[in-house]
Amino acid sequence: MSVDRADLLLRARAARELQRRREQRPLDYWRPTPPQRDFLACPARYKLLRGPNQAGKTDVGAAELVYRMAGYNPWTGREHPRGDYRVLVYSWDQLKPIARKIWERVPKDRLHERSHYDAARQKWTGHAFMLRHRSGQWSRVDFTTVLAGEMGNASATLDGIWVDEPPPEHLWGELDARVRKRRGDIWLTMTPSPWKWPIDWLRGLVADGAIAETHFGLTPENCTPLGGLPFYSAEEIERFRIMTPPSQRPMRLDGEWEGPAEGSVFEQWSRDSMLRPAAELWEDMRRFGK
């Protein structure tokens, strides 16, 4: 066997071993973007990541969950005890991408033997999973939805809750009560969407300092993992801006709380296209016997 061939075989084995380790312990090889690092390094009990669509918010929310369940967050240097956690999403359909993101971050060699991820259906068996804590005990997580309401989110005593996208105000008090006894944490990842329900109450909590906030917009710098290349170029971001309705650009691209109040959402709307002269209305009523 030539030296070159032997060297290639060694390199191939090393590559396979590296791939195996990446699959087993993905967080050991994951490199966050600057906003993700800032969010992970924030030690506040209640914290919020506010940013644009498709910019890594769910990725870092899942990473935060797995770090806590495993017992140690390397970005804060903080140790977490074995815990019971909850993931709150809007609906069960929305849970599918969340479940996949969690699977992509979980250390596979720490999963409980009864915890299975169904890749075809993008769901955890039984809507829950358990992960071995560094102490040897098991951390647990369950999933629920905003649509389940206050009763569906009641009763449990939890160490932490991850909320993906802003919840309605009436549900917040129930979430806060779930982590009160254990002095647990709540972290939120969101793109503001005031067209679903009012979120002024959440904005107020951030302004008052009750919730620590990391806010970022869509720029190449904010899309660049540590030691890597940006996953969106400036040209792509400009195309996104052109394709996004003007009333939604501040939220979807810059993570702002709200969009402009001037003008109309439907740019082709005019009074002439929506209103008819009274004489025409009277004529129609006369014609149809009204």
Side-chain angles (χ1 to χ4, degrees):
M1 180 181 294
S2 68
V3 174
D4 289 343
R5 181 176 174 80
D7 182 62
L8 287 174
L9 285 174
L10 288 174
R11 290 174 180 267
R13 290 171 184 167
R16 286 196 297 271
E17 176 60 19
L18 178 60
Q19 180 63 27
R20 185 191 68 81
R21 293 182 182 182
R22 288 176 63 93
E23 291 173 355
Q24 287 293 306
R25 295 290 184 94
L27 273 182
D28 291 351
Y29 299 89
W30 178 62
R31 295 296 179 263
T33 62
Q36 290 174 330
R37 293 199 301 273
D38 291 343
F39 182 70
L40 288 170
C42 176
R45 281 189 57 204
Y46 290 9
K47 61 182 182 178
L48 164 68
L49 179 65
R50 175 166 60 95
N53 293 131
Q54 297 296 301
K57 303 185 307 299
T58 303
D59 278 338
V60 74
E64 179 89 27
L65 176 68
V66 173
Y67 282 138
R68 289 168 179 266
M69 293 182 72
Y72 180 69
N73 181 344
W75 302 96
T76 60
R78 178 182 170 188
E79 295 187 5
H80 296 274
R82 184 221 69 85
D84 299 299
Y85 295 90
R86 174 167 291 172
V87 177
L88 176 68
V89 298
Y90 174 71
S91 66
W92 290 120
D93 285 338
Q94 189 197 5
L95 176 59
K96 292 180 179 180
I98 304 296
R100 186 181 71 251
K101 293 292 186 182
I102 294 173
W103 169 252
E104 291 172 353
R105 299 286 173 261
V106 166
K108 309 305 185 289
D109 57 345
R110 288 192 172 192
L111 272 176
H112 192 278
E113 61 181 7
R114 294 182 182 178
S115 297
H116 301 286
Y117 176 71
D118 186 332
R121 294 190 293 169
Q122 299 184 67
K123 63 181 292 187
W124 289 90
T125 302
H127 298 298
F129 77 88
M130 293 188 289
L131 193 69
R132 188 168 61 249
H133 185 267
R134 62 191 305 176
S135 67
Q137 298 177 304
W138 296 99
S139 290
R140 297 175 175 83
V141 63
D142 62 31
F143 301 93
T144 188
T145 70
V146 167
L147 298 180
E150 292 174 80
M151 291 302 296
N153 284 277
S155 301
T157 300
L158 302 169
D159 295 275
I161 303 174
W162 169 26
V163 183
D164 189 68
E165 301 304 342
E169 183 178 9
H170 69 84
L171 193 55
W172 180 254
E174 191 62 53
L175 301 179
D176 178 58
R178 296 308 105 220
V179 299
R180 193 172 298 163
K181 185 175 182 180
R182 297 185 183 176
R183 280 72 174 176
D185 305 330
I186 299 178
W187 64 101
L188 304 94
T189 53
M190 59 171 278
T191 294
S193 51
W195 45 82
K196 286 183 181 177
W197 43 66
I199 56 174
D200 288 345
W201 64 273
L202 181 59
R203 187 175 184 176
L205 289 176
V206 171
D208 291 342
I211 299 178
E213 181 187 56
T214 300
H215 169 238
F216 71 103
L218 195 62
T219 66
E221 294 76 18
N222 286 337
C223 297
T224 304
L226 184 65
L229 298 174
F231 48 82
Y232 293 135
S233 66
E235 292 76 15
E236 288 177 309
I237 293 172
E238 181 58 29
R239 181 169 61 83
F240 298 157
R241 191 168 295 277
I242 293 172
M243 296 299 292
T244 304
S247 62
Q248 298 180 16
R249 286 172 190 164
M251 289 84 77
R252 294 193 180 278
L253 297 174
D254 302 315
E256 298 295 345
W257 285 107
E258 57 188 5
E262 299 83 11
S264 57
V265 173
F266 302 101
E267 296 179 334
Q268 301 306 315
W269 185 91
S270 69
R271 291 181 61 85
D272 293 339
S273 65
M274 300 297 290
L275 302 177
R276 298 177 60 192
E280 293 183 12
L281 293 175
W282 282 113
E283 178 62 24
D284 287 347
M285 293 173 67
R286 184 193 64 77
R287 185 186 310 164
F288 294 106
K290 300 295 186 181

